[in-house]
Amino acid sequence: MVAVIAGGVGARHGVVFKSAETIEIARKVSHVVFDKTGTLSRGELSVSAEEYLSKSSSSAASLALGLTINSKHPVSTAVAANLQARGTQPAPVEDVKSVTGSGMEGAWNGASVRGGNSRWLAVQTVPQVASLLSQGCTVFCVTLGEELLAVYGLDDPLRPDAKSVVSELQKRGIAVSLVSGDDDGAVQKVGCELGIPSPQVRSRCSPGDKQKYIKAIMDHKSKIVLFCGDGTNDAVALAQASIGLHMNSGTDVAQSAADAVLVRPALTGILVLVDLSRAAFRRIVFNFSWSFVYNIFAILLAAGAFVNARIPPQYAGLGELVSVLPVILIGLQLRWFKRR
């Protein structure tokens, strides 16, 4: 009963649980691992700088838009929105497909068009790219064949409650890590702003790298790890973690792999999850303890262990109320739960 009530209370506070096990183990979380884009940050990227290295900047912009216009990835969406706002017309890029953790690729006039992070395209040493990386920008590059056509630098503001949530988790003795597929400059910048220790900040992580990082933590003294992410490339990590927590704005693939969902765009739901789990556990322990003590007493009374105590038969049925009523009331009290 407590688990059912806790599920309703969690939903009221913006956290939806998929199983009672999540409520049971959340109180023991010892490590929280965050993704960056769309999780600690709003996922509302905007282009802050752009460089064109081809002879025709309009042609390069057209190819970039043709490649990104139908993508749902936050970086590609931001680049496409920026180009459309300037009136750029998309080039007819065909057979566009996503390359998880790297970018996307397609074909134009028989040549390969690729867009993604600088490492995948092996252009991180190009001066224009290196400059944006050193500024902590998220960098999106576009190439045609082996030629680098365009470089876009993007900024993504942090969620307003990110710093306070990370700080509160650390005050409670819960370790916090940041793992992201983004470039090192952008990830280190966020880690520094939030006060996350440098050894616990990992950049340029593929989906497999995120899974391995979480598994390594869980293998050490059987720690309970909560991973919070939103994208398709987070699905493996969400499934690997003891508790996978999905942001409401993420993809359906990631949501299906998660154990709980934050239905509001607020990271405070993590604290709600932990506090609600502790509150529910205290009530479960009390209910079991009360039932144990009461039933031991009732058995001894029925066996005649208390020779001077006797309950008239017509009132004996009231004993069931004494057993059940406190359990119900303690469970219902959870409805007035408030995060501490």
Side-chain angles (χ1 to χ4, degrees):
M1 185 182 73
V2 172
V4 173
I5 295 173
V9 173
R12 193 170 73 239
H13 284 80
V15 186
V16 175
F17 309 104
K18 291 186 179 181
S19 68
E21 182 184 5
T22 302
I23 300 174
E24 179 186 349
I25 66 174
R27 63 188 176 83
K28 298 187 289 185
V29 166
S30 59
H31 206 120
V32 175
V33 181
F34 288 102
D35 174 46
K36 184 180 80 68
T37 305
T39 303
L40 287 173
S41 68
R42 295 182 179 180
E44 300 171 358
L45 291 98
S46 58
V47 176
S48 58
E50 52 189 309
E51 297 279 352
Y52 294 98
L53 290 80
S54 65
K55 295 180 180 179
S56 173
S57 60
S58 60
S59 296
S62 182
L63 276 172
L65 181 57
L67 184 66
T68 60
I69 191 168
N70 293 317
S71 174
K72 293 183 179 180
H73 191 281
V75 174
S76 301
T77 301
V79 171
N82 175 68
L83 295 172
Q84 287 178 308
R86 290 165 35 194
T88 303
Q89 295 300 313
V93 179
E94 303 174 335
D95 301 323
V96 177
K97 60 181 180 181
S98 176
V99 180
T100 303
S102 299
M104 54 203 315
E105 58 185 359
W108 179 74
N109 288 346
S112 173
V113 182
R114 297 195 296 172
N117 64 61
S118 59
R119 304 177 310 283
W120 181 51
L121 300 175
V123 295
Q124 62 267 43
T125 58
V126 174
Q128 292 88 338
V129 177
S131 175
L132 291 175
L133 289 173
S134 67
Q135 296 173 35
C137 292
T138 296
V139 178
F140 183 83
C141 305
V142 179
T143 62
L144 177 62
E146 298 300 320
E147 179 187 1
L148 178 61
L149 299 181
V151 182
Y152 299 92
L154 301 95
D155 290 325
D156 187 10
L158 291 174
R159 293 185 184 275
D161 58 350
K163 189 173 182 62
S164 60
V165 169
V166 170
S167 177
E168 178 63 24
L169 288 170
Q170 292 172 333
K171 286 179 182 178
R172 298 184 183 193
I174 298 174
V176 177
S177 291
L178 169 59
V179 293
S180 174
D182 210 341
D183 293 303
D184 188 62
V187 179
Q188 292 294 341
K189 179 181 177 182
V190 170
C192 183
E193 289 180 16
L194 297 178
I196 301 174
S198 182
Q200 291 166 212
V201 177
R202 303 292 178 91
S203 59
R204 301 169 181 171
C205 293
S206 67
D209 292 334
K210 293 180 181 181
Q211 180 191 25
K212 291 176 183 176
Y213 181 79
I214 292 171
K215 188 175 186 300
I217 297 173
M218 293 173 66
D219 287 344
H220 181 63
K221 297 181 181 179
S222 301
K223 290 188 175 181
I224 302 298
V225 178
L226 184 150
F227 177 77
C228 188
D230 70 313
T232 300
N233 58 346
D234 294 325
V236 178
L238 287 165
Q240 176 67 56
S242 309
I243 300 175
L245 190 60
H246 176 260
M247 296 297 294
N248 69 320
S249 57
T251 65
D252 293 338
V253 174
Q255 183 172 331
S256 64
D259 302 297
V261 178
L262 296 178
V263 297
R264 298 174 187 166
L267 292 171
T268 50
I270 296 173
L271 301 177
V272 169
L273 172 60
V274 174
D275 290 344
L276 183 57
S277 174
R278 290 174 177 173
F281 181 74
R282 287 195 300 269
R283 284 159 176 78
I284 290 172
V285 169
F286 173 85
N287 288 346
F288 273 110
S289 300
W290 167 250
S291 297
F292 176 79
V293 171
Y294 174 83
N295 283 301
I296 289 294
F297 174 78
I299 290 171
L300 292 175
L301 181 63
F306 308 107
V307 293
N308 295 322
R310 182 176 179 277
I311 299 177
Q314 62 269 33
Y315 298 115
L318 294 176
E320 188 65 23
L321 283 178
V322 177
S323 171
V324 175
L325 197 57
V327 172
I328 295 174
L329 292 176
I330 290 295
L332 290 175
Q333 188 191 27
L334 193 60
R335 297 177 62 183
W336 288 274
F337 162 83
K338 289 184 180 180
R339 185 176 68 83
R340 66 183 180 86

